[in-house]
Amino acid sequence: MKETRVRLSALIVGLVFVFLACAFTPYNNVKMQNSPLAGGHFPLVSFACLLLLLVIVNPILSLIRKSWRFHIHEILLIWSMVAVASGIAFTGLMRTFLIHITTPVWFTTSASNLGKLLVPLLPSSLFPTDPAIVHPLYYGLEGGLDMGWWEIITHIPWHIWLVPMLWWGIFIVLAYAALLGMTGIFSHQWIENEKMNFPLLRVPQILCEESANDALFRFFRHRYFLVGFSLPLLLHMFNGLHTYYPQVPEIPTLVLTQAYIPKEGILSGFYKMKIYLYPAFIGFAFLTANQVSFSLWFFFILGGLLPGMLGLLGWRLPAAALGTTFGPVLSRVEEMQMVGAFGIFFFFILWLARRHLLIVVRSLFRRGAYGREFHGFMTPRTAFYLFAGGLAGTIAWLNMFGMDLLAAVGFLAVCFMLQLVAARLICQGGLPYFTLTAAPVDGFLAFFNTRLIAPVTIYLAMAVQKVAFLDIRESLAPSLFHASKLSDGSRPRNRFLWGLVWAILLGLVVSFVAMLALYYKFGISTLPDDWAVETSRRVHENVAQLLEHPEQAKHWSIIFTATGAAVMTILVLGYHHFLWWPLHPIGYLTTYSSAMDILWFSFFIGWVNNALTLRYGGVNLYKEVRRLFIGLVVGDMVMAVVWLIVGLFTPFSYHVLPL
């Protein structure tokens, strides 16, 4: 692909979009309960910006002066800037951040005794301890409903937030710097050496390429694309109208299986299974490598059989065998397999990259070891220093606030390991969103007696993982790897990188102010986001449970962790050594993710179509039929944008995507 220069105007346009997206996200997602502007790793707001530039802005600029058009790498830079920043404004950081750091002091104002136990453990510079801040934050400023947004911002007691935001801001910037460096270190390996497929990028890349060739509208008129586009158009037109006018017939996209599956027996694990059908997810599955898409749904089905098989063997393991856990969806002890599986797959990633990592180390002592051959938005040398500096800084930050040095090193090592593996899974698997099963600390709690861990270490680890490392649905790392892939061929390359850096910094500031203004205007307790409140409080309650009732190492958790490590070892050995091996290891990592409850059937349909097309039509037919599945994605996203706009003017909204 011909290299093209990224102009400063594209960076400015990207920052404007970032500002608007981050400023509007809290109100849209929390107050309006509208479709999330990000919602995952194929962000709705990024797609809306892409479509605006390709379909409206570029044609108008062409009429004025063709050289003013945004070219392919400028559009992809804008996509990347909006993608990395939009997640920060909600689930990636801000959705629970303010609630989380004020929950301890909220306990002191309630009938619970937890506040007396927890508040003395907390550094006051990180967690506000004045009970007077709770009432206006949780119930809104007096007269706040009648104030304008700027008036709300001027009435926020900024002196209360200055110190906590300074220290938390330092930690978040250091953690994001480490993630940025980690992306730079592994980008060349994944893009060039492993030729990794990035299914979620295929739609924006193909649309930009067609636009660059002045063939975009011809692509939109192709019969396969029109068929694919029309299916979600009709589906969501009927279902959206049904939401507002119940007399309009609805096309079901959800099938409950309880009526067809026995509650006991080998199929008991599927008793609560649901079958969702979403066109965009079928499109992503079709664009994913056949082996990967097969493995994703296959392991989900296999994991559902395990509870029934254990029951037949007479093993009925109670949830209490897990002890106290912090995983987002960890509910059964057999799900602890994922702790061992993630660990083994992390070492597999390192082993695959061993030669590349050796060259990265050599580049520290010899400038230009990669020359101009590296892929991604950053030289491996710069990436290494950025990662090392960010990691060292976060370790020092934790140690300064009371966490034991050895515990801080081990905790952050696991956190960044999970981020790397999850990014690999999302980028290679084409998962529009993903949820972890176990939290970073769950592995430690399974193996150690909690009496041996200092209370401040336990508490700070739980707080930090909830803020930055627990929720992967809109996390930063996968978006950074996607951006690194899209930066290939752009110049100057550092402008692409600086676009991302400024987008992250602007996103942090705007998102914090916007979320704080929303809370002070309406009050946390009156906003319809009970999930954010309940999950934050549950973390602190579980910490108190551990401190009051320390736990021993968990026998069954250790057994299943070792089982997961053994299964993953077999999978990576088979995948690496045998060409005929049908299973991809990343499928096993998604077995117990709640995301697969929604994705598995769509991935099954996408895999079937991909396999049949390649088997009976070959690559040429695949390229033609691919237009249909791109149409499914575009149609779903266009309808999501349409109903999002409608939802701004109605008391409730129709959600196209379940994100």
Side-chain angles (χ1 to χ4, degrees), residues 61-76:
L61 292 178
S62 295
L63 295 176
I64 301 172
R65 189 171 182 177
K66 196 164 185 178
S67 62
W68 289 1
R69 286 167 50 105
F70 292 102
H71 63 69
I72 182 170
H73 287 106
E74 291 174 333
I75 295 174
L76 293 177

Side-chain angles (χ1 to χ4, degrees), residues 30 90 93-107 127-128 137-138 161 466-467 515-516 519 523-525 527 529-538 540:
V30 181
F90 196 50
L93 178 64
M94 285 297 169
R95 185 177 185 180
T96 60
F97 175 60
L98 292 168
I99 298 172
H100 184 61
I101 66 173
T102 55
T103 292
V105 70
W106 180 87
F107 280 136
F127 296 83
L137 188 69
Y138 278 74
W161 297 104
K466 177 65 175 172
V467 167
M515 189 64 83
L516 202 59
Y519 288 161
I524 293 172
S525 297
L527 290 168
D529 194 9
D530 294 337
W531 177 90
V533 175
E534 292 304 317
T535 56
S536 297
R537 290 177 184 170
R538 196 177 305 126
H540 296 275

Side-chain angles (χ1 to χ4, degrees), residues 175-252:
Y176 284 0
L179 290 175
L180 199 61
M182 185 175 72
T183 303
I185 291 173
F186 285 93
S187 287
H188 181 88
Q189 169 66 21
W190 293 6
I191 296 169
E192 178 62 21
N193 297 344
E194 297 184 42
K195 305 293 184 186
M196 199 175 85
N197 188 19
F198 289 79
L200 294 177
L201 299 182
R202 296 306 297 141
V203 171
Q205 284 178 317
I206 290 171
L207 294 183
C208 286
E209 289 167 3
E210 295 292 338
S211 177
N213 296 326
D214 293 323
L216 181 63
F217 292 98
R218 187 164 65 249
F219 181 86
F220 287 158
R221 293 194 300 268
H222 193 280
R223 63 183 185 278
Y224 282 138
F225 178 86
L226 289 174
V227 170
F229 183 82
S230 64
L231 292 176
L233 181 70
L234 293 173
L235 171 69
H236 298 302
M237 182 178 67
F238 277 100
N239 289 357
L241 289 173
H242 174 80
T243 301
Y244 295 99
Y245 306 100
Q247 62 269 28
V248 176
E250 180 185 23
I251 303 173

Side-chain angles (χ1 to χ4, degrees), residues 2-272:
K2 183 180 177 182
E3 290 192 351
T4 44
R5 184 175 182 83
V6 175
R7 293 166 294 187
L8 185 61
S9 58
L11 193 150
I12 295 172
V13 169
L15 290 176
V16 171
F17 283 148
V18 165
F19 177 87
L20 295 175
C22 292
F24 185 58
T25 288
Y27 182 78
N28 176 79
N29 294 12
V30 181
K31 176 60 179 174
M32 298 294 295
Q33 290 286 287
N34 222 340
S35 294
L37 293 188
H41 299 290
F42 191 91
L44 182 60
V45 65
S46 292
F47 179 82
C49 294
L50 175 82
L51 212 59
L52 176 67
L53 293 172
L54 292 180
V55 176
I56 298 177
V57 174
N58 265 0
I60 293 175
L61 292 178
S62 295
L63 295 176
I64 301 172
R65 189 171 182 177
K66 196 164 185 178
S67 62
W68 289 1
R69 286 167 50 105
F70 292 102
H71 63 69
I72 182 170
H73 287 106
E74 291 174 333
I75 295 174
L76 293 177
L77 170 61
I78 294 170
W79 165 286
S80 300
M81 291 172 66
V82 176
V84 300
S86 59
I88 294 172
F90 196 50
T91 306
L93 178 64
M94 285 297 169
R95 185 177 185 180
T96 60
F97 175 60
L98 292 168
I99 298 172
H100 184 61
I101 66 173
T102 55
T103 292
V105 70
W106 180 87
F107 280 136
T108 65
T109 66
S110 65
S112 172
N113 292 321
L114 294 181
K116 297 178 181 178
L117 173 65
L118 298 178
V119 170
L121 296 174
L122 299 172
S124 59
S125 52
L126 294 181
F127 296 83
T129 56
D130 184 359
I133 74 166
V134 170
H135 190 276
L137 188 69
Y138 278 74
Y139 299 98
L141 289 170
E142 186 176 353
L145 293 177
D146 299 322
M147 296 181 187
W149 288 107
W150 181 250
E151 193 176 359
I152 288 287
I153 292 173
T154 59
H155 280 75
I156 292 174
W158 292 106
H159 63 281
I160 294 175
W161 297 104
L162 184 60
V163 174
M165 287 308 101
L166 173 64
W167 286 113
W168 278 113
I170 290 172
F171 175 81
I172 291 168
V173 168
L174 288 170
Y176 284 0
L179 290 175
L180 199 61
M182 185 175 72
T183 303
I185 291 173
F186 285 93
S187 287
H188 181 88
Q189 169 66 21
W190 293 6
I191 296 169
E192 178 62 21
N193 297 344
E194 297 184 42
K195 305 293 184 186
M196 199 175 85
N197 188 19
F198 289 79
L200 294 177
L201 299 182
R202 296 306 297 141
V203 171
Q205 284 178 317
I206 290 171
L207 294 183
C208 286
E209 289 167 3
E210 295 292 338
S211 177
N213 296 326
D214 293 323
L216 181 63
F217 292 98
R218 187 164 65 249
F219 181 86
F220 287 158
R221 293 194 300 268
H222 193 280
R223 63 183 185 278
Y224 282 138
F225 178 86
L226 289 174
V227 170
F229 183 82
S230 64
L231 292 176
L233 181 70
L234 293 173
L235 171 69
H236 298 302
M237 182 178 67
F238 277 100
N239 289 357
L241 289 173
H242 174 80
T243 301
Y244 295 99
Y245 306 100
Q247 62 269 28
V248 176
E250 180 185 23
I251 303 173
T253 58
L254 169 63
V255 177
L256 303 178
T257 63
Q258 287 186 358
Y260 312 103
I261 295 177
K263 195 171 183 179
E264 300 294 334
I266 195 169
L267 297 180
S268 61
F270 301 112
Y271 181 68
K272 295 183 179 180

Side-chain angles (χ1 to χ4, degrees), residues 179-386:
L179 290 175
L180 199 61
M182 185 175 72
T183 303
I185 291 173
F186 285 93
S187 287
H188 181 88
Q189 169 66 21
W190 293 6
I191 296 169
E192 178 62 21
N193 297 344
E194 297 184 42
K195 305 293 184 186
M196 199 175 85
N197 188 19
F198 289 79
L200 294 177
L201 299 182
R202 296 306 297 141
V203 171
Q205 284 178 317
I206 290 171
L207 294 183
C208 286
E209 289 167 3
E210 295 292 338
S211 177
N213 296 326
D214 293 323
L216 181 63
F217 292 98
R218 187 164 65 249
F219 181 86
F220 287 158
R221 293 194 300 268
H222 193 280
R223 63 183 185 278
Y224 282 138
F225 178 86
L226 289 174
V227 170
F229 183 82
S230 64
L231 292 176
L233 181 70
L234 293 173
L235 171 69
H236 298 302
M237 182 178 67
F238 277 100
N239 289 357
L241 289 173
H242 174 80
T243 301
Y244 295 99
Y245 306 100
Q247 62 269 28
V248 176
E250 180 185 23
I251 303 173
T253 58
L254 169 63
V255 177
L256 303 178
T257 63
Q258 287 186 358
Y260 312 103
I261 295 177
K263 195 171 183 179
E264 300 294 334
I266 195 169
L267 297 180
S268 61
F270 301 112
Y271 181 68
K272 295 183 179 180
M273 187 174 73
K274 300 175 183 178
I275 297 175
Y276 292 88
L277 191 63
Y278 288 96
F281 300 162
I282 295 173
F284 292 135
F286 183 86
L287 297 171
T288 302
N290 194 272
Q291 184 188 30
V292 173
S293 58
F294 168 75
S295 300
L296 290 172
W297 70 262
F298 174 80
F299 277 107
F300 176 81
I301 297 298
L302 201 62
L305 290 172
L306 184 59
M309 295 173 63
L310 292 176
L312 291 178
L313 294 172
W315 291 3
R316 297 189 178 275
L317 306 175
L322 276 171
T324 302
T325 61
F326 295 84
V329 295
L330 191 58
S331 59
R332 302 194 304 264
V333 70
E334 56 265 29
E335 295 173 8
M336 285 296 291
Q337 293 174 78
M338 294 302 100
V339 173
F342 266 76
I344 294 298
F345 193 74
F346 169 71
F347 288 111
F348 181 59
I349 290 175
L350 296 184
W351 189 83
L352 289 176
R354 62 194 184 282
R355 293 188 179 89
H356 165 72
L357 294 176
L358 182 61
I359 296 175
V360 171
V361 173
R362 288 176 179 171
S363 71
L364 303 179
F365 307 99
R366 188 177 62 186
R367 286 185 177 275
Y370 262 98
R372 293 178 57 84
E373 297 176 4
F374 70 91
H375 290 257
F377 48 50
M378 191 187 312
T379 66
R381 178 190 178 96
T382 303
F384 180 88
Y385 286 131
L386 189 60

Side-chain angles (χ1 to χ4, degrees), residues 575-652:
Y575 171 75
H576 188 68
H577 289 289
F578 303 113
L579 292 176
W580 53 265
W581 189 261
L583 301 174
H584 198 288
I586 67 172
Y588 182 50
L589 298 176
T590 66
T591 302
Y592 299 108
S593 172
S594 61
M596 292 309 297
D597 292 339
I598 296 172
L599 297 174
W600 78 270
F601 188 72
S602 294
F603 267 77
F604 169 72
I605 299 298
W607 167 78
V608 167
N609 283 276
N610 183 303
L612 292 177
T613 301
L614 286 173
R615 182 175 180 84
Y616 297 107
V619 175
N620 290 332
L621 181 62
Y622 172 85
K623 290 181 178 179
E624 286 294 304
V625 174
R626 183 177 65 180
R627 299 170 185 262
L628 187 150
F629 291 90
I630 292 174
L632 293 178
V633 176
V634 174
D636 247 12
M637 293 297 163
V638 167
M639 293 306 292
V641 172
V642 168
W643 287 114
L644 185 151
I645 295 172
V646 172
L648 298 177
F649 304 98
T650 56
F652 53 91

